[in-house]
């Protein structure tokens, strides 16, 4: 079964550099479903401690409205990992994003550290899958803890680890992305697509959003506010999808009332699975509206 917050909108999940106070302030006004306040790649080693203090203060401030607020800590094995987890636990964000997760053991160790540091129950774990090992163990990782609710694709690192190239359509990544999706769905977890690096290529970005949604991702991680509009639009049900979903449900319920075992919409046979998908579409729309409210 899916985790209880699986319907929380995560169409657009924007990385914000933790060392940049101006960026953290700007994030309060952006139309992102979720924010990742970053202590890892976006912060130089000499700025790590100051960024940790700034990010944890932001997470505890209550000034980010309905946006889901997360902190990306430095990865296991780095000098900052333990201190990041302890500080994040005290700040109590919606989630702690953990990079370079290759095993269920890492998830369990992170969970133990958060509990030991007094993290509130609402602070979940998001695991980043960035390596071939992680792809091959996606189901094991996704199933490691009830506290883990979201998988996040680290596609830049995956390209590097595969010795692959960045190409339109992402053919070198599709096997790994597919394995991660299978693992997430088998465990009932949310999964977010990786970033698109060229912020000056809106057409390419939208095409990759469309590909991600067609594959089954719940949303996309972003590196620039200019990518928010397209991600929010693509990963939300369209008006046509909503209208058809309502007709599917109405036709199915009418058929049941009349004692008919078969319903059709636009000449196509409607089964229970189609009704379930239609209800999922409407539930997603309702969740987006609640988040806006």
């Amino acid at each position: 079964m899916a985790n209880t917050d699986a319907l929380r909108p995560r169409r657009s999940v924007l990385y914000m550099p933790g060392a940049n106070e101006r960026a953290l302030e700007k994030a309060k006004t952006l139309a992102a479903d979720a924010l990742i306040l970053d202590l890892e790649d976006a912060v130089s080693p000499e700025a790590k401690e100051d960024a940790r203090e700034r990010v944890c203060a932001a997470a505890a401030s209550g000034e980010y409205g309905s946006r889901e607020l997360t902190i990306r800590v430095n990865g296991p094995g780095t000098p900052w990992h333990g201190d990041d987890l302890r500080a994040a636990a005290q700040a109590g964000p919606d989630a702690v994003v953990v990079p370079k997760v290759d095993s269920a053991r890492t998830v369990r160790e992170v969970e133990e550290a958060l509990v030991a540091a007094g993290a509130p129950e609402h602070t979940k774990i998001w695991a980043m899958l960035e390596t071939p090992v992680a792809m091959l163990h996606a189901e094991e990782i996704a199933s490691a803890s009830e506290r883990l609710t979201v998988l996040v694709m680290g596609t830049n690192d995956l390209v590097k680890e595969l010795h692959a190239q960045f190409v339109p359509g992402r053919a070198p990544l599709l096997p790994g992305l597919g394995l991660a999706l299978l693992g997430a769905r088998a465990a009932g977890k949310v999964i977010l697509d990786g970033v698109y690096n060229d912020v000056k290529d809106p057409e390419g970005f939208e095409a990759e959003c469309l590909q991600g949604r067609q594959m089954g991702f719940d949303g996309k991680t972003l590196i620039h506010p200019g990518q928010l509009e397209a991600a929010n639009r693509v990963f939300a049900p369209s008006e046509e999808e909503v209208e058809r979903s309502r007709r599917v449900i109405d036709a199915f319920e009418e058929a049941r009332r009349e004692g008919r075992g078969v319903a059709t919409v636009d000449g196509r046979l409607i089964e229970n699975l189609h009704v379930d998908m239609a209800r999922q579409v409407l539930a997603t729309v309702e969740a987006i509206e609640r988040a806006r409210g």
Side-chain angles (χ1 to χ4, degrees):
M1 295 180 63
N3 59 74
T4 55
D5 69 341
L7 273 179
R8 188 168 185 174
R10 296 182 179 97
R11 301 164 297 168
S12 54
V13 181
L14 179 64
Y15 287 100
M16 300 301 291
N20 188 328
E21 188 170 358
R22 183 178 176 185
L24 296 179
E25 188 66 26
K26 182 179 180 181
K28 299 174 184 178
T29 67
L30 297 175
D33 285 340
L35 300 168
I36 298 176
L37 309 185
D38 191 15
L39 297 177
E40 194 207 17
D41 288 345
V43 181
S44 63
E46 61 272 13
K48 296 284 190 186
E49 293 187 9
D50 287 344
R52 181 192 302 135
E53 183 176 343
R54 186 176 294 113
V55 160
C56 289
S61 70
E63 297 176 355
Y64 287 81
S66 62
R67 298 166 190 83
E68 192 168 12
L69 199 61
T70 74
I71 296 174
R72 179 162 76 163
V73 300
N74 287 279
T78 66
W80 311 281
H81 178 69
D83 289 338
D84 284 353
L85 285 178
R86 285 185 285 273
Q90 292 301 307
D94 290 302
V96 173
V97 183
V98 184
K100 307 295 190 300
V101 176
D102 283 345
S103 69
R105 177 179 178 180
T106 298
V107 175
R108 290 192 288 267
E109 289 173 347
V110 167
E111 181 174 30
E112 289 168 4
L114 290 174
V115 170
E121 284 293 324
H122 73 255
T123 297
K124 306 301 183 182
I125 298 171
W126 292 13
M128 293 196 69
L129 309 189
E130 308 183 68
T131 66
V133 170
M135 302 304 115
L136 293 170
H137 294 275
E139 182 184 2
E140 172 191 329
I141 292 167
S143 303
S145 167
E146 288 299 316
R147 196 161 194 153
L148 189 155
T149 55
V150 178
L151 299 183
V152 183
M153 300 306 304
T155 44
N156 282 338
D157 278 88
L158 184 58
V159 168
K160 174 187 172 185
E161 294 284 335
L162 291 172
H163 303 171
Q165 295 181 343
F166 293 97
V167 295
R170 301 192 290 182
L173 297 184
L174 294 182
L177 295 177
L179 286 171
L181 276 158
L182 289 169
R185 297 308 179 214
K189 303 301 172 72
V190 171
I191 183 166
L192 303 174
D193 199 359
V195 299
Y196 187 81
N197 298 311
D198 189 349
V199 298
K200 296 183 179 180
D201 179 18
E203 293 82 9
F205 173 72
E206 184 158 342
E208 193 166 289
C209 284
L210 285 166
Q211 180 197 43
R213 187 177 178 209
Q214 290 166 355
M215 290 182 70
F217 285 103
D218 295 291
K220 193 162 182 66
T221 47
L222 315 174
I223 59 172
H224 192 275
Q227 298 173 326
L228 286 166
E229 186 277 330
N232 283 339
R233 173 167 42 81
V234 171
F235 282 97
S238 66
E239 291 182 7
E240 293 79 8
E241 286 177 279
V242 172
E243 190 273 335
R244 187 175 191 281
S245 294
R246 288 179 175 142
R247 288 195 290 124
V248 165
I249 293 169
D250 290 344
F252 188 78
E253 291 180 348
E254 181 180 358
R256 291 184 63 183
R257 285 194 300 270
E258 296 177 356
R260 293 184 284 114
V262 175
T264 59
V265 172
D266 300 331
R268 295 184 177 182
L269 184 68
I270 300 302
E271 300 178 311
N272 284 325
L273 70 92
H274 301 112
V275 178
D276 289 344
M277 293 170 70
R279 288 178 175 146
Q280 179 80 9
V281 167
L282 298 186
T284 299
V285 172
E286 291 174 4
I288 292 170
E289 290 301 322
R290 283 197 303 272
R292 287 174 181 164

